[in-house]
Amino acid sequence: MTRSIHEEKALKEARSLMEKAAASPKCLACGCFRQMLTVLETAVAGESLLNGLSEARQKAKSLLVEQQYDCFGCEVCYPPLVFNALSPALGEDFAALAVCPAEPVPERRGWPPLPGNYQVLRYQAPVAVCSLMDDGLAAAVAAGYEPGLSLVGTLQTENLGIERLIQNILANPHLRFLILCGADSEQAVGHRPGQTLLALGRHGINAQGRIIAAQGRRPFLKNISPEMVAHFRRTVEVLDLIGFVDSGGVIAAIRACAGRNPGAAAPFSASRLVEPIKGHLPARTVTDPAGYFVVYVDRQRGILSLEHYDNDSVLAVVIEADQAAGLYTPAIERGLISRLDHAAYLGRELARAEEALRTGAPYHQDAAPEERMLPSQSAAPCGTSCRESGA
C-alpha cells in the first residue's frame, strides 16, 4: 500500500524522535517511554502505518533498562512528541492513547494509600497544597506546620499524577480544599499539570476520560472512575494560586480555607478510611524490669539531669544534658528502658522538664498516669520523685 506524502512525513518525524529517545539514558529508565513502546506495539495490528516504525521500536525495546520512575517530567519529553507527530495521520482516537504509564498503582494500607512526592502533616486538617513542579515551595510550606494543612506535595504530569492525587485526597474525607501554587510547567511538551487539574475541578471529564478544556498534551484519566471524579469535584474546592511562589502567601490561604472548613465530607464509597481509635489508659501498672528514672532540673547550671535506679532503688546511672534528646539517647543506647510505655512516659517527662528549664516555669515530675500512689510514697518504679534544684 502506497503511503501519502503526509504519512511519510509523520513516520519520518516519529522515527527521528524515537531514535533520540533511545539515545537518552533517562528515557531508557522511564515508564513514560516504556508505555509509548507498548502502545505502539498494541496499536500496530490495527494500523498498517505503524509498521513503518517496527525497526525503530524493536531497537528501542532492546535497549530498555530497569524502570526507575514513571515520568521524569523532562524539559523535552519524547514519547508525547512521537504521538503528536503521528496524530495528524492517525486521528484523534490514536492521540487518546498517548498517556503516561497506565498501570494502576497498588494501594497500601493506611493513608495516603498511594505513594508520591508529598509530606503528610496531619490527617484531620482540611487543606492540601500542590506546589506543582516547585519542591522548594512545598518544603517551605511544610516547614510552617500550619494547623490547617494536611499534606503538601508536587505534581509533574497531567494524567497519572492527577489520578494519584485524587485517590489520595478522596481517601481522607477531612480534606475539603486543594490549593494549587507554584509555577506550572511551560515546557516543550506542555504537560501543564496545574492548568489541567484546575480544568478538571471546573469542567470535569468527557466520555473518553479527557479533562475538558485542559491544555496539557495528555489530559486523559484512565485509572479512576467518572464517579470518583464527580465526588472529587463535589467535595473538594480547588483554589487557583498558580504562579504564586511565596510560602507566606500560601500559608495565609491555608488559614483562610481552614477558617471556613465545612467539616468532613461524605466518604467516597470505594475508599478505605482510617477510623480514629478511642484512647484509654492501661488497666494496670507494669514495672519496667530495667528500673526507673528521676528527672532533675538544675537551674543553677542550666542543665537537666536524669538519674536511673534499679528496682531495689539503687542509683546506677546519671546522665546530664541541656536538652531532652541528650538524655533519652544515651538512656536508650545503654538499655535503661525495656518497655514502650516506660519510654513514652520518659519522653513526656523530659519534654516537660526541658520546657521548664527554657521558660523558668516550675517542674514537678509526675507519676505515670496509671499509678495509684499513697500520700506517703515519694518514688515508684516509673519515676515519681518531685525534684528541682534548690528544693
Side-chain angles (χ1 to χ4, degrees), residues 293-301 303-307 318-321 327 350 353 357 363 365 385-391:
F293 293 96
V294 173
V295 181
Y296 180 65
V297 178
D298 188 336
R299 299 190 188 279
Q300 293 180 357
R301 293 193 293 160
I303 62 170
L304 303 173
S305 178
L306 183 65
E307 300 175 354
V318 177
I319 306 170
E320 296 182 338
L327 297 175
L350 291 181
L357 181 64
Y363 170 72
Q365 183 177 349
S385 293
C386 300
R387 293 190 36 187
E388 190 159 352
S389 179

PDB file of all heavy atoms in Angstrom, residues 293-301 303-307 318-321 327 350 353 357 363 365 385-391:
ATOM      1  N   PHE A 293      13.336   6.079  86.503  1.00  0.00           N
ATOM      2  CA  PHE A 293      14.086   7.326  86.346  1.00  0.00           C
ATOM      3  C   PHE A 293      13.576   8.401  87.286  1.00  0.00           C
ATOM      4  O   PHE A 293      12.386   8.443  87.622  1.00  0.00           O
ATOM      5  CB  PHE A 293      13.946   7.854  84.903  1.00  0.00           C
ATOM      6  CG  PHE A 293      14.600   7.006  83.861  1.00  0.00           C
ATOM      7  CD1 PHE A 293      13.869   6.069  83.142  1.00  0.00           C
ATOM      8  CD2 PHE A 293      15.956   7.144  83.584  1.00  0.00           C
ATOM      9  CE1 PHE A 293      14.473   5.290  82.171  1.00  0.00           C
ATOM     10  CE2 PHE A 293      16.571   6.371  82.623  1.00  0.00           C
ATOM     11  CZ  PHE A 293      15.824   5.430  81.908  1.00  0.00           C
ATOM     12  N   VAL A 294      14.491   9.288  87.654  1.00  0.00           N
ATOM     13  CA  VAL A 294      14.136  10.530  88.329  1.00  0.00           C
ATOM     14  C   VAL A 294      14.703  11.678  87.490  1.00  0.00           C
ATOM     15  O   VAL A 294      15.895  11.680  87.151  1.00  0.00           O
ATOM     16  CB  VAL A 294      14.704  10.589  89.756  1.00  0.00           C
ATOM     17  CG1 VAL A 294      14.462  11.971  90.364  1.00  0.00           C
ATOM     18  CG2 VAL A 294      14.064   9.505  90.623  1.00  0.00           C
ATOM     19  N   VAL A 295      13.835  12.616  87.141  1.00  0.00           N
ATOM     20  CA  VAL A 295      14.225  13.763  86.308  1.00  0.00           C
ATOM     21  C   VAL A 295      14.489  14.958  87.229  1.00  0.00           C
ATOM     22  O   VAL A 295      13.680  15.256  88.114  1.00  0.00           O
ATOM     23  CB  VAL A 295      13.126  14.103  85.284  1.00  0.00           C
ATOM     24  CG1 VAL A 295      13.553  15.280  84.413  1.00  0.00           C
ATOM     25  CG2 VAL A 295      12.814  12.885  84.418  1.00  0.00           C
ATOM     26  N   TYR A 296      15.610  15.640  87.006  1.00  0.00           N
ATOM     27  CA  TYR A 296      16.055  16.722  87.884  1.00  0.00           C
ATOM     28  C   TYR A 296      16.390  17.944  87.038  1.00  0.00           C
ATOM     29  O   TYR A 296      17.176  17.870  86.103  1.00  0.00           O
ATOM     30  CB  TYR A 296      17.280  16.233  88.667  1.00  0.00           C
ATOM     31  CG  TYR A 296      17.895  17.213  89.633  1.00  0.00           C
ATOM     32  CD1 TYR A 296      17.199  17.648  90.750  1.00  0.00           C
ATOM     33  CD2 TYR A 296      19.195  17.670  89.445  1.00  0.00           C
ATOM     34  CE1 TYR A 296      17.779  18.532  91.655  1.00  0.00           C
ATOM     35  CE2 TYR A 296      19.777  18.548  90.334  1.00  0.00           C
ATOM     36  CZ  TYR A 296      19.066  18.978  91.444  1.00  0.00           C
ATOM     37  OH  TYR A 296      19.635  19.843  92.339  1.00  0.00           O
ATOM     38  N   VAL A 297      15.787  19.103  87.371  1.00  0.00           N
ATOM     39  CA  VAL A 297      16.063  20.360  86.674  1.00  0.00           C
ATOM     40  C   VAL A 297      17.073  21.160  87.501  1.00  0.00           C
ATOM     41  O   VAL A 297      16.759  21.607  88.608  1.00  0.00           O
ATOM     42  CB  VAL A 297      14.778  21.177  86.470  1.00  0.00           C
ATOM     43  CG1 VAL A 297      15.094  22.502  85.780  1.00  0.00           C
ATOM     44  CG2 VAL A 297      13.765  20.378  85.662  1.00  0.00           C
ATOM     45  N   ASP A 298      18.273  21.310  86.982  1.00  0.00           N
ATOM     46  CA  ASP A 298      19.333  22.048  87.682  1.00  0.00           C
ATOM     47  C   ASP A 298      19.417  23.442  87.063  1.00  0.00           C
ATOM     48  O   ASP A 298      20.103  23.675  86.079  1.00  0.00           O
ATOM     49  CB  ASP A 298      20.660  21.308  87.532  1.00  0.00           C
ATOM     50  CG  ASP A 298      21.769  21.918  88.398  1.00  0.00           C
ATOM     51  OD1 ASP A 298      21.663  23.112  88.744  1.00  0.00           O
ATOM     52  OD2 ASP A 298      22.715  21.190  88.714  1.00  0.00           O
ATOM     53  N   ARG A 299      18.735  24.399  87.670  1.00  0.00           N
ATOM     54  CA  ARG A 299      18.671  25.742  87.102  1.00  0.00           C
ATOM     55  C   ARG A 299      19.990  26.496  87.278  1.00  0.00           C
ATOM     56  O   ARG A 299      20.320  27.378  86.485  1.00  0.00           O
ATOM     57  CB  ARG A 299      17.526  26.525  87.731  1.00  0.00           C
ATOM     58  CG  ARG A 299      16.167  25.879  87.475  1.00  0.00           C
ATOM     59  CD  ARG A 299      15.038  26.797  87.895  1.00  0.00           C
ATOM     60  NE  ARG A 299      13.762  26.094  87.809  1.00  0.00           N
ATOM     61  CZ  ARG A 299      13.079  25.922  86.692  1.00  0.00           C
ATOM     62  NH1 ARG A 299      13.552  26.400  85.554  1.00  0.00           N
ATOM     63  NH2 ARG A 299      11.928  25.281  86.692  1.00  0.00           N
ATOM     64  N   GLN A 300      20.735  26.198  88.336  1.00  0.00           N
ATOM     65  CA  GLN A 300      22.000  26.898  88.578  1.00  0.00           C
ATOM     66  C   GLN A 300      23.000  26.609  87.456  1.00  0.00           C
ATOM     67  O   GLN A 300      23.722  27.496  87.005  1.00  0.00           O
ATOM     68  CB  GLN A 300      22.576  26.476  89.931  1.00  0.00           C
ATOM     69  CG  GLN A 300      21.736  26.939  91.113  1.00  0.00           C
ATOM     70  CD  GLN A 300      22.329  26.497  92.438  1.00  0.00           C
ATOM     71  OE1 GLN A 300      23.335  25.794  92.470  1.00  0.00           O
ATOM     72  NE2 GLN A 300      21.715  26.924  93.540  1.00  0.00           N
ATOM     73  N   ARG A 301      23.048  25.389  86.983  1.00  0.00           N
ATOM     74  CA  ARG A 301      23.970  25.028  85.907  1.00  0.00           C
ATOM     75  C   ARG A 301      23.307  25.072  84.533  1.00  0.00           C
ATOM     76  O   ARG A 301      23.982  24.921  83.513  1.00  0.00           O
ATOM     77  CB  ARG A 301      24.549  23.638  86.150  1.00  0.00           C
ATOM     78  CG  ARG A 301      25.464  23.557  87.364  1.00  0.00           C
ATOM     79  CD  ARG A 301      26.241  22.255  87.364  1.00  0.00           C
ATOM     80  NE  ARG A 301      25.367  21.099  87.561  1.00  0.00           N
ATOM     81  CZ  ARG A 301      25.703  19.850  87.219  1.00  0.00           C
ATOM     82  NH1 ARG A 301      26.879  19.609  86.652  1.00  0.00           N
ATOM     83  NH2 ARG A 301      24.868  18.853  87.450  1.00  0.00           N
ATOM     84  N   ILE A 303      21.092  22.899  83.203  1.00  0.00           N
ATOM     85  CA  ILE A 303      21.061  21.580  82.570  1.00  0.00           C
ATOM     86  C   ILE A 303      19.925  20.743  83.153  1.00  0.00           C
ATOM     87  O   ILE A 303      19.311  21.096  84.169  1.00  0.00           O
ATOM     88  CB  ILE A 303      22.391  20.818  82.758  1.00  0.00           C
ATOM     89  CG1 ILE A 303      22.651  20.568  84.235  1.00  0.00           C
ATOM     90  CG2 ILE A 303      23.547  21.568  82.097  1.00  0.00           C
ATOM     91  CD1 ILE A 303      23.805  19.621  84.487  1.00  0.00           C
ATOM     92  N   LEU A 304      19.693  19.611  82.507  1.00  0.00           N
ATOM     93  CA  LEU A 304      18.770  18.598  83.003  1.00  0.00           C
ATOM     94  C   LEU A 304      19.592  17.390  83.437  1.00  0.00           C
ATOM     95  O   LEU A 304      20.600  17.056  82.816  1.00  0.00           O
ATOM     96  CB  LEU A 304      17.781  18.177  81.914  1.00  0.00           C
ATOM     97  CG  LEU A 304      16.926  19.268  81.282  1.00  0.00           C
ATOM     98  CD1 LEU A 304      16.131  18.709  80.111  1.00  0.00           C
ATOM     99  CD2 LEU A 304      15.989  19.866  82.319  1.00  0.00           C
ATOM    100  N   SER A 305      19.134  16.736  84.490  1.00  0.00           N
ATOM    101  CA  SER A 305      19.811  15.544  84.986  1.00  0.00           C
ATOM    102  C   SER A 305      18.811  14.398  85.028  1.00  0.00           C
ATOM    103  O   SER A 305      17.671  14.560  85.483  1.00  0.00           O
ATOM    104  CB  SER A 305      20.382  15.798  86.386  1.00  0.00           C
ATOM    105  OG  SER A 305      20.999  14.620  86.892  1.00  0.00           O
ATOM    106  N   LEU A 306      19.240  13.239  84.549  1.00  0.00           N
ATOM    107  CA  LEU A 306      18.398  12.044  84.531  1.00  0.00           C
ATOM    108  C   LEU A 306      19.084  10.956  85.349  1.00  0.00           C
ATOM    109  O   LEU A 306      20.164  10.488  84.993  1.00  0.00           O
ATOM    110  CB  LEU A 306      18.177  11.571  83.093  1.00  0.00           C
ATOM    111  CG  LEU A 306      17.247  10.372  82.906  1.00  0.00           C
ATOM    112  CD1 LEU A 306      15.822  10.719  83.340  1.00  0.00           C
ATOM    113  CD2 LEU A 306      17.242   9.931  81.433  1.00  0.00           C
ATOM    114  N   GLU A 307      18.457  10.601  86.474  1.00  0.00           N
ATOM    115  CA  GLU A 307      19.015   9.574  87.347  1.00  0.00           C
ATOM    116  C   GLU A 307      18.283   8.259  87.113  1.00  0.00           C
ATOM    117  O   GLU A 307      17.045   8.230  87.083  1.00  0.00           O
ATOM    118  CB  GLU A 307      18.874   9.990  88.809  1.00  0.00           C
ATOM    119  CG  GLU A 307      19.591  11.286  89.130  1.00  0.00           C
ATOM    120  CD  GLU A 307      19.331  11.751  90.558  1.00  0.00           C
ATOM    121  OE1 GLU A 307      18.502  11.110  91.242  1.00  0.00           O
ATOM    122  OE2 GLU A 307      19.951  12.754  90.977  1.00  0.00           O
ATOM    123  N   VAL A 318      23.777   8.340  86.010  1.00  0.00           N
ATOM    124  CA  VAL A 318      23.335   9.736  85.959  1.00  0.00           C
ATOM    125  C   VAL A 318      23.737  10.293  84.596  1.00  0.00           C
ATOM    126  O   VAL A 318      24.896  10.188  84.177  1.00  0.00           O
ATOM    127  CB  VAL A 318      23.973  10.587  87.077  1.00  0.00           C
ATOM    128  CG1 VAL A 318      23.537  12.043  86.923  1.00  0.00           C
ATOM    129  CG2 VAL A 318      23.591  10.046  88.440  1.00  0.00           C
ATOM    130  N   ILE A 319      22.762  10.863  83.885  1.00  0.00           N
ATOM    131  CA  ILE A 319      23.006  11.451  82.567  1.00  0.00           C
ATOM    132  C   ILE A 319      22.665  12.930  82.643  1.00  0.00           C
ATOM    133  O   ILE A 319      21.616  13.304  83.193  1.00  0.00           O
ATOM    134  CB  ILE A 319      22.136  10.772  81.485  1.00  0.00           C
ATOM    135  CG1 ILE A 319      22.350   9.256  81.497  1.00  0.00           C
ATOM    136  CG2 ILE A 319      22.445  11.342  80.102  1.00  0.00           C
ATOM    137  CD1 ILE A 319      21.360   8.503  80.619  1.00  0.00           C
ATOM    138  N   GLU A 320      23.528  13.788  82.083  1.00  0.00           N
ATOM    139  CA  GLU A 320      23.289  15.230  82.108  1.00  0.00           C
ATOM    140  C   GLU A 320      23.361  15.799  80.705  1.00  0.00           C
ATOM    141  O   GLU A 320      24.203  15.402  79.899  1.00  0.00           O
ATOM    142  CB  GLU A 320      24.325  15.928  82.996  1.00  0.00           C
ATOM    143  CG  GLU A 320      24.226  15.522  84.462  1.00  0.00           C
ATOM    144  CD  GLU A 320      25.231  16.261  85.334  1.00  0.00           C
ATOM    145  OE1 GLU A 320      26.250  16.750  84.784  1.00  0.00           O
ATOM    146  OE2 GLU A 320      24.982  16.365  86.547  1.00  0.00           O
ATOM    147  N   ALA A 321      22.459  16.743  80.405  1.00  0.00           N
ATOM    148  CA  ALA A 321      22.435  17.411  79.105  1.00  0.00           C
ATOM    149  C   ALA A 321      21.570  18.656  79.232  1.00  0.00           C
ATOM    150  O   ALA A 321      20.844  18.831  80.221  1.00  0.00           O
ATOM    151  CB  ALA A 321      21.895  16.490  78.016  1.00  0.00           C
ATOM    152  N   LEU A 327      19.387  13.384  76.770  1.00  0.00           N
ATOM    153  CA  LEU A 327      19.183  12.465  77.880  1.00  0.00           C
ATOM    154  C   LEU A 327      18.646  11.118  77.422  1.00  0.00           C
ATOM    155  O   LEU A 327      19.149  10.064  77.817  1.00  0.00           O
ATOM    156  CB  LEU A 327      18.222  13.087  78.903  1.00  0.00           C
ATOM    157  CG  LEU A 327      18.705  14.368  79.593  1.00  0.00           C
ATOM    158  CD1 LEU A 327      17.604  14.927  80.472  1.00  0.00           C
ATOM    159  CD2 LEU A 327      19.950  14.096  80.423  1.00  0.00           C
ATOM    160  N   LEU A 350      10.595  14.295  80.053  1.00  0.00           N
ATOM    161  CA  LEU A 350      11.762  15.053  79.608  1.00  0.00           C
ATOM    162  C   LEU A 350      11.344  16.286  78.810  1.00  0.00           C
ATOM    163  O   LEU A 350      11.978  17.343  78.894  1.00  0.00           O
ATOM    164  CB  LEU A 350      12.683  14.164  78.779  1.00  0.00           C
ATOM    165  CG  LEU A 350      13.402  13.051  79.556  1.00  0.00           C
ATOM    166  CD1 LEU A 350      14.295  12.255  78.606  1.00  0.00           C
ATOM    167  CD2 LEU A 350      14.212  13.621  80.705  1.00  0.00           C
ATOM    168  N   ALA A 353      10.288  18.813  81.356  1.00  0.00           N
ATOM    169  CA  ALA A 353      11.437  19.355  82.075  1.00  0.00           C
ATOM    170  C   ALA A 353      12.223  20.331  81.201  1.00  0.00           C
ATOM    171  O   ALA A 353      12.678  21.382  81.682  1.00  0.00           O
ATOM    172  CB  ALA A 353      12.339  18.204  82.541  1.00  0.00           C
ATOM    173  N   LEU A 357      12.956  24.246  82.011  1.00  0.00           N
ATOM    174  CA  LEU A 357      14.293  24.827  82.025  1.00  0.00           C
ATOM    175  C   LEU A 357      14.376  26.029  81.089  1.00  0.00           C
ATOM    176  O   LEU A 357      15.004  27.043  81.411  1.00  0.00           O
ATOM    177  CB  LEU A 357      15.318  23.763  81.611  1.00  0.00           C
ATOM    178  CG  LEU A 357      16.787  24.211  81.592  1.00  0.00           C
ATOM    179  CD1 LEU A 357      17.256  24.594  82.986  1.00  0.00           C
ATOM    180  CD2 LEU A 357      17.666  23.108  81.010  1.00  0.00           C
ATOM    181  N   TYR A 363       8.883  22.794  87.713  1.00  0.00           N
ATOM    182  CA  TYR A 363       8.750  21.432  87.179  1.00  0.00           C
ATOM    183  C   TYR A 363       8.588  20.450  88.331  1.00  0.00           C
ATOM    184  O   TYR A 363       9.356  20.456  89.296  1.00  0.00           O
ATOM    185  CB  TYR A 363       9.977  21.033  86.360  1.00  0.00           C
ATOM    186  CG  TYR A 363       9.978  19.561  86.007  1.00  0.00           C
ATOM    187  CD1 TYR A 363       9.105  19.062  85.081  1.00  0.00           C
ATOM    188  CD2 TYR A 363      10.840  18.671  86.662  1.00  0.00           C
ATOM    189  CE1 TYR A 363       9.070  17.711  84.767  1.00  0.00           C
ATOM    190  CE2 TYR A 363      10.819  17.315  86.365  1.00  0.00           C
ATOM    191  CZ  TYR A 363       9.919  16.836  85.418  1.00  0.00           C
ATOM    192  OH  TYR A 363       9.875  15.506  85.129  1.00  0.00           O
ATOM    193  N   GLN A 365       7.939  16.293  88.668  1.00  0.00           N
ATOM    194  CA  GLN A 365       7.812  15.039  87.932  1.00  0.00           C
ATOM    195  C   GLN A 365       6.568  14.299  88.397  1.00  0.00           C
ATOM    196  O   GLN A 365       6.341  14.109  89.592  1.00  0.00           O
ATOM    197  CB  GLN A 365       9.050  14.165  88.142  1.00  0.00           C
ATOM    198  CG  GLN A 365       9.016  12.878  87.335  1.00  0.00           C
ATOM    199  CD  GLN A 365      10.296  12.075  87.500  1.00  0.00           C
ATOM    200  OE1 GLN A 365      11.281  12.578  88.043  1.00  0.00           O
ATOM    201  NE2 GLN A 365      10.283  10.836  87.046  1.00  0.00           N
ATOM    202  N   SER A 385       9.519  10.955  91.716  1.00  0.00           N
ATOM    203  CA  SER A 385      10.045  11.984  92.612  1.00  0.00           C
ATOM    204  C   SER A 385       9.831  13.377  92.052  1.00  0.00           C
ATOM    205  O   SER A 385       9.897  13.582  90.857  1.00  0.00           O
ATOM    206  CB  SER A 385      11.553  11.754  92.850  1.00  0.00           C
ATOM    207  OG  SER A 385      11.772  10.575  93.580  1.00  0.00           O
ATOM    208  N   CYS A 386       9.579  14.331  92.943  1.00  0.00           N
ATOM    209  CA  CYS A 386       9.467  15.724  92.541  1.00  0.00           C
ATOM    210  C   CYS A 386      10.748  16.422  92.982  1.00  0.00           C
ATOM    211  O   CYS A 386      10.896  16.754  94.153  1.00  0.00           O
ATOM    212  CB  CYS A 386       8.263  16.375  93.196  1.00  0.00           C
ATOM    213  SG  CYS A 386       6.712  15.595  92.786  1.00  0.00           S
ATOM    214  N   ARG A 387      11.683  16.633  92.066  1.00  0.00           N
ATOM    215  CA  ARG A 387      12.962  17.213  92.443  1.00  0.00           C
ATOM    216  C   ARG A 387      13.319  18.345  91.517  1.00  0.00           C
ATOM    217  O   ARG A 387      13.148  18.281  90.306  1.00  0.00           O
ATOM    218  CB  ARG A 387      14.065  16.145  92.389  1.00  0.00           C
ATOM    219  CG  ARG A 387      13.852  15.072  93.453  1.00  0.00           C
ATOM    220  CD  ARG A 387      15.015  14.131  93.607  1.00  0.00           C
ATOM    221  NE  ARG A 387      16.311  14.745  93.447  1.00  0.00           N
ATOM    222  CZ  ARG A 387      17.412  14.032  93.423  1.00  0.00           C
ATOM    223  NH1 ARG A 387      17.370  12.729  93.569  1.00  0.00           N
ATOM    224  NH2 ARG A 387      18.583  14.621  93.259  1.00  0.00           N
ATOM    225  N   GLU A 388      13.815  19.415  92.115  1.00  0.00           N
ATOM    226  CA  GLU A 388      14.275  20.559  91.355  1.00  0.00           C
ATOM    227  C   GLU A 388      15.408  21.210  92.111  1.00  0.00           C
ATOM    228  O   GLU A 388      15.471  21.131  93.342  1.00  0.00           O
ATOM    229  CB  GLU A 388      13.123  21.543  91.135  1.00  0.00           C
ATOM    230  CG  GLU A 388      13.458  22.645  90.161  1.00  0.00           C
ATOM    231  CD  GLU A 388      12.212  23.281  89.570  1.00  0.00           C
ATOM    232  OE1 GLU A 388      11.113  22.786  89.798  1.00  0.00           O
ATOM    233  OE2 GLU A 388      12.382  24.305  88.904  1.00  0.00           O
ATOM    234  N   SER A 389      16.305  21.854  91.375  1.00  0.00           N
ATOM    235  CA  SER A 389      17.490  22.458  92.005  1.00  0.00           C
ATOM    236  C   SER A 389      17.070  23.395  93.141  1.00  0.00           C
ATOM    237  O   SER A 389      16.261  24.288  92.953  1.00  0.00           O
ATOM    238  CB  SER A 389      18.288  23.225  90.953  1.00  0.00           C
ATOM    239  OG  SER A 389      19.413  23.823  91.537  1.00  0.00           O
ATOM    240  N   GLY A 390      17.612  23.151  94.323  1.00  0.00           N
ATOM    241  CA  GLY A 390      17.330  24.007  95.477  1.00  0.00           C
ATOM    242  C   GLY A 390      16.139  23.547  96.287  1.00  0.00           C
ATOM    243  O   GLY A 390      15.867  24.112  97.319  1.00  0.00           O
ATOM    244  N   ALA A 391      15.419  22.498  95.834  1.00  0.00           N
ATOM    245  CA  ALA A 391      14.232  22.051  96.565  1.00  0.00           C
ATOM    246  C   ALA A 391      14.625  21.200  97.754  1.00  0.00           C
ATOM    247  O   ALA A 391      15.646  20.551  97.754  1.00  0.00           O
ATOM    248  CB  ALA A 391      13.349  21.250  95.630  1.00  0.00           C
TER     249      ALA A 391
END
